[in-house]
Amino acid sequence: MSVRTLSERELNRATLDRQLLLRRSDMDAAQAVEHLVGLQTQIPPNHYVGLWSRLTDFDAQDFSQRFEDREFVRISLQRSTIHTVTARDCLPLRHLLQPVQDRSLKGAFGKRLQGIDLAELSQRARKFVEQEPRTFNDLGTLLAESYPGHDVQALGVAARNNLALVQVTPRGLWQQGGLAKHTTAEHWLGNAKAVPAMQAEDMVLRYLTAFGPASVMDAQSWSGLTGLREVFEKLRANLVVFRSESGTELFDLPDAPRPGEDVPAPARFLPDYDNVFIGHKDRARINDPRVPKERVFSGNTPISTFTMDGWIRGVWKLETDKKRTKGTMNLTPLVPATKAQRADLESEGARLLEFLAPGADHDVRWHEDENG
């Protein structure tokens, strides 16, 4: 049988649909977070913008309260980066992704941890963080008493990578902040029973639900896991197969939505490192080829982006005064925008400004791309 080739525009529309960005969804916040297999939230408030752009009438205060009530947590998961997930998904995902944590630790701190029994270190660290939530520096300092001469940072990160540590509130709450303090997910969630790992097959199916059609390498890049080819082959009989324009084999669920390439895509505002941008190895389906990678993904420098016609084609930045009585939404297109696209972006930007700075005096300003 011949395999149909999907155009980049078809992949774009399918991805936007799965990511709840083609039209806002009526899903509950928990349903959405689980549908997306978590939201990357290296920057604590990112889940608010990410969900606001995806859900109808998203209520930040309600989500914040539910986050404080421990229905959601922030924990290191895919690619050893911080994600917001539901309490239900937290430990099953973390156990499946433990090899990612192990590889990350070995690559970054392996030499500084030579001679240390990591299982013993984890037992010591668990006692410290379950006594009270601690920063990595405080935890590393306490551990250094048992491992003199070892790097404090390395000790703290070793605990984070070997234990399922969550960042506790108030960090992550709506318009609040706090130090990044940690305790174990088991302690925070009151879960004393052993929780089995999510099956790799289940993770792949959920990934395709939220990110498909996608390749094996896409799934590996998103999760940080290796060796997923075997998992895809086990599932092949239950999946449909396509090709990208470059010839890459793409897998998908048979009944998943794949809108036509002519379906309109409204402007959307994305937080730094949003799922839609970081969910594939091949990002041509979302990143306009005219936009240099460093303009929208610059190491550890947060860059918030917006889409035009479904592709990332500009950056935005919110500025407020200290009392949050004035708010300015700054828009910088990185490719030419039509009059209609500018009007769409201004309207969506004004709504986001009201969401992020309610009651303030608002202004939307356009800026020329100084590097363009």
Side-chain angles (χ1 to χ4, degrees), residues 14 73 82 86 109 137 139 145 151 161 184 194 202 230 232 263 304 309 315 326-327 348:
V73 293
I82 301 295
T86 63
F109 295 97
N137 185 68
L139 178 57
E145 296 176 5
D151 182 78
N161 284 55
T184 64
D202 292 335
E230 182 179 349
F232 274 84
V263 172
S304 301
D309 190 30
V315 298
K326 296 181 180 180
E348 185 76 353

Side-chain angles (χ1 to χ4, degrees), residues 20-42:
L20 314 181
L21 292 168
L22 198 57
R23 65 189 66 80
R24 282 183 166 88
S25 170
D26 291 330
M27 285 185 185
D28 173 75
Q31 290 177 304
V33 170
E34 290 189 351
H35 167 81
L36 297 165
V37 204
L39 290 166
Q40 178 156 338
T41 53
Q42 293 294 97

Side-chain angles (χ1 to χ4, degrees), residues 308-328:
M308 289 190 289
D309 190 30
W311 270 270
I312 293 175
R313 290 176 172 168
V315 298
W316 64 274
K317 185 176 182 180
L318 172 69
E319 293 181 343
T320 62
D321 59 2
K322 290 183 178 180
K323 294 183 178 180
R324 300 182 72 84
T325 59
K326 296 181 180 180
T328 302

Side-chain angles (χ1 to χ4, degrees), residues 23-29 48 51-63 66 268 348 351 355:
R23 65 189 66 80
R24 282 183 166 88
S25 170
D26 291 330
M27 285 185 185
D28 173 75
Y48 295 104
L51 290 172
W52 178 86
S53 289
R54 288 173 164 89
L55 301 182
T56 304
D57 299 324
F58 172 65
D59 188 329
Q61 292 286 3
D62 176 70
F63 181 85
R66 293 166 68 180
R268 289 290 183 259
E348 185 76 353
R351 289 194 293 270
F355 172 73

